[in-house]
């Protein structure tokens, strides 16, 4: 049984309360080197969004933006627009190709309705113009792996949202997203960038002769005038400090690839982009046997010509299906990590999918490398640090916990709705096994529900 919560002491938030010294509770697990404890069960959960048969949702983020008080923004990856209005007929759709385009949808909600999907509109999706993933090499010879222009355009997958340098007068919010670009060895993910002042109109980052240029996104695409004058350049991949485009380490196919997928968090006015990518040594391995590393890039200014640093490997190896989010913890100088995992126990159908959460001892990058992410063998993805989520599933003990995201402040650091202010985190996830509009196997995305849940963390007495 889960230990009952202690009475709230004066001036001490419930999630920060010490735990009375006693025998370890099997319903709880330690984190942050034993200084904190997370207990399973008793947390609030529910359905966040039940899409129609023609709709999908994944990577559902809730962001507390600056400006209008009491309003939150939801940003997520959805289906590519099929024409017509949202209220029109909604024939069932299915995902048939890993290259199917997606869209970024956004909407605003009042604080008290933070557990329900608000009305949203598609803001970014595939564009007719070609993506230029190679960037401008500034006189250097082009790499043999540099990609030619890709007709796929902006696919708008895996959005990652963070405010600009508002402490220096930048009022834009930036959305980093992924597209797929062809290379001689196969398709790779590439990092793209968009910006918005109101979450309704977006500009896409391209490249002009003298550096970055912001091009207004229009549903019809085509050549427009850039805001710097002249013909609008094609969208292009974001560059790192060496002038190289930020693309995945290895080519790959499939819906569940996590190359460059992650989160962005601002700490001491420096942007920290944590993401997973295939370890270069595993590029030649079959996709099912590839392992991931957790990488970090930093930036002092997202508007710079070459905004991101070179990649730094933080932790390895992680299973090939791991999805990792990292952010500064709510109210603590620690990193919080949420990642896909399985519970230690099996059912008749095998491992039970869940989400794991851990905290570091401090805000050093090395503290992330010190986490024990999974039990051996790592490929099975079992961990004792699972939340014990209950919602969703197929009724037979099997659950889908895909494409999870969480609520943050505008700087990408953990936050919670006012109605759950005592909680340490608010997480969302897609359940592809929950009942939808089609038979199982026809489509694991369209019409599948998105759930939400919370977790609590508290210090252990004497630590």
């Amino acid at each position: 049984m889960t230990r009952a919560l202690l009475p709230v002491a004066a001036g001490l938030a419930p999630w920060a309360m010490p735990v009375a010294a006693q025998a370890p509770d099997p319903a709880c697990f330690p984190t942050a080197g034993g200084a904190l404890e997370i207990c399973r069960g008793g947390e609030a959960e529910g359905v966040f969004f039940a899409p129609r048969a023609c709709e999908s949702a994944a990577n559902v983020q809730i962001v507390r933006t600056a400006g209008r008080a009491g309003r939150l923004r939801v940003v997520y990856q959805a289906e590519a627009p099929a024409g017509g209005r949202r209220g029109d007929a909604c024939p069932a759709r299915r995902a048939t190709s890993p290259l199917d385009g997606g869209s970024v949808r956004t909407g605003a909600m009042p604080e008290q309705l933070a557990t329900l999907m608000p009305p949203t509109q598609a803001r970014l999706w595939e564009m007719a113009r070609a993506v230029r993933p190679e960037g401008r090499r500034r006189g250097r010879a082009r790499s043999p792996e540099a990609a030619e222009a890709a007709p796929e355009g902006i696919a708008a997958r895996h959005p990652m949202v963070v405010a600009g340098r508002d402490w220096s007068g930048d009022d834009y919010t930036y959305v980093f997203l992924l597209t797929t670009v062809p290379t001689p060895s196969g398709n790779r993910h590439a990092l793209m960038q968009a910006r918005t002042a109101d979450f309704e109109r977006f500009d896409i980052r391209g490249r002009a002769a003298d550096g970055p240029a912001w091009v207004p996104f229009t549903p019809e695409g085509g050549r427009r005038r850039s805001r710097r004058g002249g013909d609008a350049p094609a969208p292009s991949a974001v560059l790192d400090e060496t002038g190289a485009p930020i693309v995945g380490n290895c080519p790959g196919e499939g819906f569940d690839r996590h190359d460059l997928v992650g989160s962005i968090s601002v700490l001491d006015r420096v942007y920290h982009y944590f993401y997973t990518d295939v370890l270069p040594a595993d590029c030649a391995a079959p996709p099912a046997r590839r392992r991931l590393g957790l990488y970090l890039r930093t930036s002092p200014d997202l508007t710079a010509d070459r905004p991101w640093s070179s990649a730094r490997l933080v932790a390895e190896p992680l299973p090939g299906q791991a999805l990792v989010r990292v952010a500064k913890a709510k109210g603590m100088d620690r990193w919080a990590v949420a990642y896909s995992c399985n519970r230690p126990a099996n059912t008749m159908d095998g491992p039970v999918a869940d989400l794991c959460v851990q905290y570091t001892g401090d805000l050093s990058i090395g503290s992330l490398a010190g986490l024990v992410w999974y039990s051996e063998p790592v490929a099975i993805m079992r961990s004792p640090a699972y939340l014990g989520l209950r919602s969703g599933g197929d009724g037979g003990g099997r659950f889908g916990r895909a494409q999870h995201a969480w609520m943050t402040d505008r700087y990408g650091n953990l936050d919670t709705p006012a109605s759950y202010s005592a909680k340490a985190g608010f997480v969302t996830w897609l359940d592809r096994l929950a009942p939808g509009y089609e038979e199982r196997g026809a489509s694991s995305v369209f019409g599948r529900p998105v759930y939400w849940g919370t977790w609590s963390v508290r210090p252990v007495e004497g630590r």
Side-chain angles (χ1 to χ4, degrees):
M1 295 179 62
T2 302
R3 183 187 300 124
L5 292 176
L6 298 173
V8 179
L12 189 61
W15 58 264
M17 291 191 59
V19 176
Q22 55 184 336
D25 188 332
C28 303
F29 62 89
T31 187
L36 303 174
E37 184 177 58
I38 297 175
C39 293
R40 307 179 184 96
E43 293 292 330
E45 296 184 15
V47 177
F48 187 79
F49 182 38
R52 299 181 296 169
C54 64
E55 299 172 330
S56 66
N59 303 289
V60 178
Q61 304 164 68
I62 301 174
V63 183
R64 187 185 302 281
T65 59
R68 188 176 177 184
R71 304 292 288 188
L72 306 175
R73 292 282 179 177
V74 62
V75 182
Y76 66 100
Q77 176 185 328
E79 73 285 352
R85 297 183 300 274
R86 188 177 177 87
D88 292 343
C90 185
R93 297 172 67 176
R94 59 179 297 181
T96 58
S97 167
L99 296 182
D100 282 348
S103 72
V104 170
R105 295 187 73 98
T106 71
M109 72 177 82
E111 183 90 31
Q112 64 269 28
L113 295 180
T115 60
L116 297 174
M117 179 70 80
T120 64
Q121 292 187 27
R123 305 298 184 184
L124 297 167
W125 58 90
E126 279 190 301
M127 299 171 63
R129 289 173 291 175
V131 171
R132 294 182 56 199
E134 74 276 6
R136 185 161 57 96
R137 305 297 291 184
R138 299 201 177 210
R140 290 188 295 170
R142 219 177 131 190
S143 164
E145 281 295 306
E148 299 299 331
E152 183 182 350
I154 297 292
R157 303 184 186 97
H158 305 286
M160 297 169 281
V161 183
V162 68
R165 301 169 70 243
D166 53 10
W167 57 86
S168 295
D170 185 355
D171 293 329
Y172 284 103
T173 295
Y174 295 89
V175 179
F176 288 87
L177 46 104
L178 304 181
T179 188
T180 303
V181 295
T183 72
S185 59
N187 292 317
R188 299 180 189 234
H189 275 168
L191 185 70
M192 312 297 293
Q193 184 179 4
R195 71 180 185 183
T196 181
D198 56 11
F199 286 89
E200 295 180 4
R201 294 171 295 274
F202 285 80
D203 299 330
I204 303 295
R205 182 174 177 142
R207 294 196 63 79
D210 56 347
W214 294 99
V215 183
F217 173 80
T218 57
E220 63 272 16
R223 302 292 284 183
R224 292 297 182 100
R225 304 288 290 181
S226 76
R227 295 188 176 177
R228 296 175 52 170
D231 288 336
S236 61
V238 181
L239 306 183
D240 68 14
E241 62 189 0
T242 71
I246 298 178
V247 297
N249 287 335
C250 310
E253 299 285 351
F255 290 107
D256 296 319
R257 293 170 55 198
H258 295 152
D259 324 353
L260 305 185
V261 180
S263 53
I264 300 173
S265 187
V266 181
L267 178 65
D268 295 332
R269 297 188 175 183
V270 174
Y271 294 85
H272 292 69
Y273 169 32
F274 292 97
Y275 64 94
T276 52
D277 202 355
V278 178
L279 296 172
D282 285 4
C283 285
R289 300 186 62 182
R290 292 180 178 180
R291 301 165 301 168
L292 300 177
L294 177 67
Y295 291 86
L296 169 65
R297 295 177 186 264
T298 59
S299 174
D301 184 1
L302 300 181
T303 66
D305 185 15
R306 304 176 179 188
W308 291 107
S309 68
S310 299
R312 170 182 175 181
L313 182 60
V314 175
E316 64 167 326
L318 301 176
Q321 295 302 311
L323 190 154
V324 180
R325 310 286 189 190
V326 182
K328 182 180 180 298
K330 179 185 174 185
M332 292 183 281
D333 288 333
R334 307 176 187 271
W335 295 113
V337 183
Y339 58 101
S340 45
C341 68
N342 293 319
R343 300 176 190 176
N346 283 354
T347 67
M348 293 178 59
D349 295 318
V352 179
D354 211 310
L355 295 177
C356 284
V357 171
Q358 292 199 57
Y359 286 74
T360 61
D362 53 38
L363 284 171
S364 67
I365 303 304
S367 64
L368 289 164
L371 294 177
V372 179
W373 299 73
Y374 297 99
S375 304
E376 294 291 343
V378 171
I380 306 300
M381 298 179 66
R382 292 192 180 98
S383 171
Y386 65 94
L387 292 178
L389 301 172
R390 308 176 304 278
S391 298
D394 63 357
R398 299 174 69 241
F399 299 90
R401 314 295 190 191
Q403 303 302 334
H404 66 272
W406 47 23
M407 178 172 167
T408 68
D409 63 18
R410 65 185 186 273
Y411 300 125
N413 300 317
L414 285 190
D415 201 351
T416 57
S419 54
Y420 292 100
S421 59
K423 301 298 182 181
F426 184 97
V427 65
T428 65
W429 69 91
L430 165 67
D431 193 331
R432 296 179 178 180
L433 297 179
Y437 290 89
E438 295 183 343
E439 295 181 4
R440 188 179 305 165
S443 170
S444 61
V445 179
F446 289 100
R448 306 295 173 175
V450 172
Y451 295 88
W452 64 271
T454 63
W455 78 86
S456 303
V457 63
R458 53 195 183 185
V460 175
E461 189 177 76
R463 295 302 300 266

